[in-house]
Amino acid sequence: MDHSGHGMMTDLPPFTLGRGLAWSADPFFLVACLLGLALYGWGVLRLTRRGDKWPVGRTVSFVVGVLSVALMMCTKLNDYGMVMFSVHMVQHMIISMVSPILLLLGAPITLALRALPPAGRGRKGPRELLLMLLHSRYMRIITHPAFTIPLFIASLYALYFTPLFDFLMGSSAGHIAMMVHFLAVGVVFFWPIMGVDPGPHRPGYLMRMLELFAGMPFHAFFGIALMMASAPMVGTFENPPASLGIDALSDQNAAGGIAWAFSEVPSVLVLLALLFQWYASEQRRARRSDRAAERDGDRELAEYNAYLASLNARG
């Protein structure tokens, strides 16, 4: 049984972490990860040479985000993920809920807008095309919670509980498309909530928290459904190779536990990022207020004191 170009899966030895982390690169994701790192590095280098500063934390976050994708797709975890539901679920959760958060905290769009040179009057270069995309109706739609939350939920239920999953897992192209979809869904879901980059839909901080918690319970319910099932629910993982020495139902229950646990991890990460951003925003607002007060001699306070004095005089 050859699974989608990943080699012979029937003779995989029982899973251990050491075996799972062995090198086994998916060419598509290897090239994509290297290209992502190269472009980001070029942007940071261009800013540095120009004398501009770029936060080290953003670079670290982006690099770790790319490496997390590479870890899932360029190691034997990807091979085991073709025949073990539990390992596949780790891939899905990391790529859709951890990698996007790290990539977004790296602010790649902001970096691109600062690093790409303007094309000049009347011309359209990469920078101008990126700005057009950011301000397009298409971007407003795909980053709106009325789109992102149902998409986030459908990526679980409509995929795993229909024949679509088995169809995609049947070919290398289908498997790659599924993983790209998981990453893209994670990015469009988390971008309006805690992304550093400018976006068309950016509600207040309280609303962002509500958006975050609107999607997470469905992840928990999905995990519980897999944990409670009394029979295998996904055809691809119904008959694992005998060499793995696993039971399909036990492995599915483990996959459910992973999905359930992961509904909490990103929530905490995003909540911390949101609170930090909220605090930083309030600090910036306070500094702007102080600067304005210095410029006009704190006219607002003087007017308020005068108002109090007038009330006192009347009394």
Side-chain angles (χ1 to χ4, degrees):
M1 179 177 66
D2 185 353
H3 266 279
S4 60
H6 287 267
M8 294 301 287
M9 298 296 165
T10 48
D11 56 356
L12 278 172
F15 179 81
T16 63
L17 190 58
R19 285 170 184 158
L21 295 178
W23 181 255
S24 178
D26 178 287
F28 174 86
F29 277 96
L30 179 61
V31 170
C33 288
L34 290 174
L35 188 61
L37 290 174
L39 288 172
Y40 195 93
W42 171 83
V44 173
L45 196 63
R46 189 173 166 83
L47 256 61
T48 308
R49 282 180 175 167
R50 207 164 62 195
D52 291 346
K53 287 184 178 175
W54 183 253
V56 176
R58 288 184 183 177
T59 303
V60 170
S61 181
F62 187 84
V63 170
V64 174
V66 172
L67 292 178
S68 68
V69 174
L71 182 68
M72 293 300 110
M73 300 308 299
C74 295
T75 64
K76 285 275 185 186
L77 287 173
N78 195 31
D79 295 346
Y80 278 100
M82 297 299 292
V83 286
M84 287 181 68
F85 203 172
S86 54
V87 178
H88 168 83
M89 194 54 70
V90 170
Q91 283 183 287
H92 179 170
M93 295 296 115
I94 296 287
I95 280 181
S96 69
M97 300 178 79
V98 176
S99 304
I101 293 169
L102 292 166
L103 293 173
L104 287 165
L105 288 174
I109 293 172
T110 301
L111 178 64
L113 291 173
R114 287 181 63 185
L116 288 167
R121 191 185 294 273
R123 286 185 299 176
K124 285 192 176 78
R127 189 177 187 277
E128 287 70 27
L129 292 171
L130 181 58
L131 280 168
M132 279 173 64
L133 179 64
L134 282 174
H135 294 121
S136 67
R137 181 180 293 177
Y138 166 77
M139 199 58 78
R140 278 201 301 276
I141 291 168
I142 69 160
T143 58
H144 195 279
F147 179 85
T148 60
I149 294 170
L151 180 68
F152 194 67
I153 297 161
S155 287
L156 289 173
Y157 295 90
L159 185 63
Y160 287 96
F161 298 155
T162 68
L164 181 59
F165 183 84
D166 295 328
F167 170 74
L168 292 172
M169 288 291 276
S171 71
S172 182
H175 185 235
I176 289 168
M178 187 199 305
M179 290 300 174
V180 170
H181 170 78
F182 289 155
L183 184 63
V185 167
V187 168
V188 296
F189 179 75
F190 289 114
W191 181 14
I193 296 172
M194 45 63 65
V196 182
D197 289 320
H201 173 72
R202 195 49 62 89
Y205 286 98
L206 206 56
M207 201 65 198
R208 293 191 215 179
M209 289 181 189
L210 290 175
E211 280 182 37
L212 171 67
F213 291 117
M216 289 305 147
F218 292 95
H219 252 270
F221 297 150
F222 170 74
I224 290 164
L226 292 179
M227 288 165 73
M228 302 285 282
S230 55
M233 298 173 75
V234 179
T236 299
F237 303 114
E238 254 180 350
N239 301 298
S243 63
L244 290 172
I246 60 167
D247 171 63
L249 187 58
S250 302
D251 190 50
Q252 177 176 281
N253 292 345
I258 289 161
W260 175 73
F262 260 95
S263 63
E264 304 303 320
V265 176
S267 303
V268 174
L269 283 175
V270 173
L271 205 54
L272 287 172
L274 263 180
L275 290 171
F276 179 77
Q277 288 172 8
W278 197 348
Y279 173 75
S281 167
E282 291 301 314
Q283 292 292 98
R284 283 195 299 273
R285 187 180 296 175
R287 284 197 295 273
R288 278 199 300 271
S289 231
D290 291 345
R291 284 198 296 272
E294 283 172 16
R295 280 197 305 273
D296 60 19
D298 221 346
R299 191 178 66 221
E300 197 176 321
L301 183 61
E303 285 173 356
Y304 183 65
N305 286 336
Y307 170 69
L308 290 178
S310 69
L311 288 179
N312 194 38
R314 274 183 227 158

